[in-house]
Amino acid sequence: MSRLHVTNDYVLELNNVYHAGQMEASTCLEKIVGNSSVGVVLKDVSVEVHGGELMAVLGSKGSGKKTLLDVIARRAQGPTRGQILLNGVPMSMRLFQDSCAYVGRKCHLLEGLTTKQTLYYAAHLTIGSKVSSYVKSTRVKQVMADLALVHVANHGVHSLNQSEYRRLAIGIQLLRDPVVILLDEPTGDLDPLHTYMVVSILSNHAKKYNRIVVLSTEKPRSDIFPFLDRVTYLCLGDVVYTGATRMMLDYFRHLGFPCPELENPLMFYLCLSTVDRRSQERFLESSNQIAALVDKFRMDGRPFRKCAVSYADHVMETEHRLPLTAYGRPTTTQVLTNLMSREWAVMWNCGSPIGRNQFFLRLLLLPVFFFLLWIFYYDLPLNQQSYASRNGLLYSCLAGTMFLSVASTVAVHPALRTRYYQESRDGFYFGPSFILARSLASLPLSMGTVAAASAIIYFGMPISTNPFQYLLFGSTLWAVHYFMEQQTMALLMLVKSSFNAALTSLFLGIVYLNVGSAMVRAIPGLPDYLYYLTYVTQSRYAAAVLNEQHFRNFSSLPSVLNATLSIPCPSGTTFSNYGCRYSNGTHYLMERYHLTHPPYDDDLRFWLNFGLNFLFTGAMFFANIILHIVPLPAFVKSKFRG
């Protein structure tokens, strides 16, 4: 693999680049079968920009600005011809991820963190392990100073204004000190003052550190003109002009298009490079004029494109230094540790409303629900007439664990998922690392909330004082909780809408419960196709463990109720025998599961169900890992990216 050689001068070159891509919006079916309308988006584009320069790519909507940046970053979908070179090395996706950076138009940050925390974790996720923690901390402080973020260092991301939020997104990419940084519409949603501020900061960064900065914009203001070393005008994929900004005025004046006094030259020549669609006559006239300008620049534009901006024009002396990208990437262990720490930092940031919400949802919601169950069931008698009520209690525990796991996951995961899609595209880490870190970070939280909830039911009623019984009850519910969390995360990888993902996961949970648990309808009474379907639902095994634990005696483990105590149920219907349906717990389980007496080993069946319950959880985790490894269609991933 070719690597970029560190030098005091960097040059990004595009030579005769063509790119074909999607021309118009496609239906969902067309996207799936790959039958979208395709056309030439970039036509014979040749551009050159040097270290220490800021270049603006200008053009109206649909001119190819974003496609040009995507082609340079090797992100564009579709065939590309021509050369893209960085210091003579062909640009590949790996080279771009190692030495360059891309700031998209939309960037979703984790709002539960502060500005300083956001940069801290980004530094530890992107800067190589050879760089000390002290250097990384120093780099964070330097970036905050360069981007004028020091005064909001301890402010939550959710409280930042648009300009601060945008500068923070840029700062995340600048931490690695990339040789080239591409920015798609970095000032699109900013007011004039902050537009000027952001462009001046980027210009200062390019000159101070000898880096290449390329940004796109649709509405350039006149006050940013002095900061632009180069401009590239695009019209429907053709280059109208590319070269030094100070030579642009002379070039167009020589062609008979002088910029009027008191006119914004950037906008004036942007209008000149835009097709006028107000009438058919103007459309034809402007199209012919632009075609002539494109042909003229192809013949005579090479000196303007190749002209280097003199360093004498720079406002300060350039600092030539080794970019941090030269020190490689963090190790997998460091990535996992920092992803987990970042997730916990969001939740434990109780000064943020996002942190407080996550703390309640992930740790307190399930115990609160189980406390409500305790209020409702606390005087449950220990006799055979309580079988139906105990069945309701176990069903409520199982259903509440499943549904509240979905609720907490849907509230937490979407922001992490969107951040993952953006960071994985930048090469920070990839799917298996993300899902493994998410699962490990969630592990102690899910265990803690299920343990607390189970203690409320088990010791508060009390159901049993046997600690081993409590561990069996809690671990069974935890396996269900974790399974539903993994299932919901898998759905959220494919479905952007949290509401739709939650509905789907809840629907599946309802099916698991009603078909497989035997708590709504006895399994022997199910139609054959549903009976066999129960074997592939986790709830069959989880509910069997809970029911057998409460209603059957084992040689090694006593049940909660005295299951061997037989109580005669007289015939007839009188008030005295009302509710006398099951003489003991074994009869109850025989009706629900059609369990038989020996030669089957009751203990063996119980522990087999217990193990299969956990097997489903492990299988869903590994399925989630595989889902994050298998390449997904581009139109699925594009929903989550800026």
Side-chain angles (χ1 to χ4, degrees), residues 75-153:
R75 298 182 174 195
Q77 301 295 319
T80 301
R81 286 195 297 114
Q83 287 185 317
I84 304 175
L85 306 174
L86 181 57
N87 279 19
V89 180
M91 183 70 78
S92 63
M93 180 176 290
R94 179 62 182 274
L95 177 60
F96 186 88
Q97 291 176 345
D98 286 345
S99 304
C100 310
Y102 188 106
V103 181
R105 185 178 309 181
K106 297 178 181 178
C107 186
H108 301 277
L109 306 178
L110 297 179
E111 297 188 348
L113 299 176
T114 65
T115 300
K116 187 174 181 180
Q117 285 177 320
T118 300
L119 293 173
Y120 170 85
Y121 287 111
H124 284 76
L125 284 171
T126 58
I127 300 176
S129 56
K130 296 179 182 178
V131 180
S132 67
S133 297
Y134 173 78
V135 173
K136 293 176 183 178
S137 299
T138 302
R139 182 62 183 156
V140 168
K141 295 176 183 177
Q142 182 64 56
V143 167
M144 285 196 296
D146 289 345
L147 295 175
L149 292 172
V150 176
H151 65 291
V152 293

Side-chain angles (χ1 to χ4, degrees), residues 103 147 166-174 181 183 186 198 202:
V103 181
L147 295 175
R166 172 59 59 177
R167 280 179 276 144
L168 179 57
I170 295 172
I172 291 173
Q173 299 297 337
L174 292 184
I181 181 166
L183 304 101
V198 169
L202 292 172

Side-chain angles (χ1 to χ4, degrees), residues 5-271:
H5 297 289
V6 178
T7 178
N8 286 341
D9 187 25
Y10 299 99
V11 182
L12 175 65
E13 296 177 86
L14 281 72
N15 298 319
N16 310 112
V17 172
Y18 291 83
H19 177 75
Q22 182 178 319
M23 298 295 293
E24 57 187 20
S26 305
T27 65
C28 183
L29 180 60
E30 289 175 334
K31 292 177 180 178
I32 293 174
V33 300
N35 194 29
S36 303
S37 176
V38 176
V40 180
V41 182
L42 297 179
K43 310 166 188 175
D44 196 15
V45 174
S46 295
V47 175
E48 185 172 308
V49 56
H50 294 253
E53 295 178 352
L54 169 62
M55 183 178 79
V57 181
L58 308 177
S60 59
K61 186 176 180 180
S63 62
K65 302 186 302 298
K66 186 178 187 302
T67 301
L68 178 60
L69 299 184
D70 287 343
V71 165
I72 297 173
R74 293 305 189 187
R75 298 182 174 195
Q77 301 295 319
T80 301
R81 286 195 297 114
Q83 287 185 317
I84 304 175
L85 306 174
L86 181 57
N87 279 19
V89 180
M91 183 70 78
S92 63
M93 180 176 290
R94 179 62 182 274
L95 177 60
F96 186 88
Q97 291 176 345
D98 286 345
S99 304
C100 310
Y102 188 106
V103 181
R105 185 178 309 181
K106 297 178 181 178
C107 186
H108 301 277
L109 306 178
L110 297 179
E111 297 188 348
L113 299 176
T114 65
T115 300
K116 187 174 181 180
Q117 285 177 320
T118 300
L119 293 173
Y120 170 85
Y121 287 111
H124 284 76
L125 284 171
T126 58
I127 300 176
S129 56
K130 296 179 182 178
V131 180
S132 67
S133 297
Y134 173 78
V135 173
K136 293 176 183 178
S137 299
T138 302
R139 182 62 183 156
V140 168
K141 295 176 183 177
Q142 182 64 56
V143 167
M144 285 196 296
D146 289 345
L147 295 175
L149 292 172
V150 176
H151 65 291
V152 293
N154 296 316
H155 291 199
V157 171
H158 67 281
S159 66
L160 301 180
N161 61 39
Q162 286 183 329
S163 175
E164 293 163 346
Y165 194 97
R166 172 59 59 177
R167 280 179 276 144
L168 179 57
I170 295 172
I172 291 173
Q173 299 297 337
L174 292 184
L175 284 166
R176 293 189 300 123
D177 192 21
V179 172
V180 178
I181 181 166
L182 309 179
L183 304 101
D184 181 26
E185 298 280 358
T187 61
D189 53 357
L190 303 183
D191 58 47
L193 177 61
H194 289 109
T195 296
Y196 179 90
M197 182 180 186
V198 169
V199 175
S200 65
I201 287 173
L202 292 172
S203 176
N204 177 76
H205 173 80
K207 293 172 174 59
K208 183 178 180 181
Y209 302 119
N210 190 40
R211 301 297 182 245
I212 297 172
V213 178
V214 181
L215 62 86
S216 66
T217 182
E218 189 174 332
K219 298 177 181 179
R221 293 179 52 83
S222 59
D223 52 2
I224 70 170
F225 184 85
F227 298 113
L228 304 182
D229 302 295
R230 291 179 182 269
V231 292
T232 296
Y233 282 101
L234 292 178
C235 179
L236 300 178
D238 285 309
V239 176
V240 179
Y241 174 85
T242 180
T245 309
R246 58 185 174 82
M247 300 180 66
M248 176 185 68
L249 299 177
D250 293 335
Y251 172 77
F252 283 108
R253 185 183 298 111
H254 178 72
L255 296 181
F257 299 101
C259 180
E261 292 186 14
L262 304 180
E263 186 79 23
N264 176 4
L266 296 174
M267 185 59 75
F268 178 79
Y269 292 118
L270 176 57
C271 293

Side-chain angles (χ1 to χ4, degrees), residues 373-383 386 390 460-462:
L373 290 181
W374 174 80
I375 293 175
F376 189 73
Y377 286 102
Y378 79 97
D379 59 347
L380 200 60
L382 288 171
N383 57 41
S386 70
R390 289 185 178 277
M461 298 190 61

Side-chain angles (χ1 to χ4, degrees), residues 366-435:
L366 189 62
V368 168
F369 175 76
F370 273 49
F371 178 72
L372 296 177
L373 290 181
W374 174 80
I375 293 175
F376 189 73
Y377 286 102
Y378 79 97
D379 59 347
L380 200 60
L382 288 171
N383 57 41
Q384 61 97 33
Q385 279 89 354
S386 70
Y387 288 131
S389 296
R390 289 185 178 277
N391 175 74
L393 172 62
L394 296 179
Y395 181 86
S396 298
C397 290
L398 197 58
T401 300
M402 296 174 71
F403 298 157
L404 295 184
S405 175
V406 173
S408 62
T409 305
V410 163
V412 172
H413 190 70
L416 297 168
R417 167 206 61 188
T418 304
R419 193 75 201 120
Y420 150 69
Y421 271 115
Q422 294 176 344
E423 291 177 336
S424 65
R425 202 176 196 188
D426 292 327
F428 293 179
Y429 53 88
F430 299 100
S433 296
F434 168 70
I435 202 64

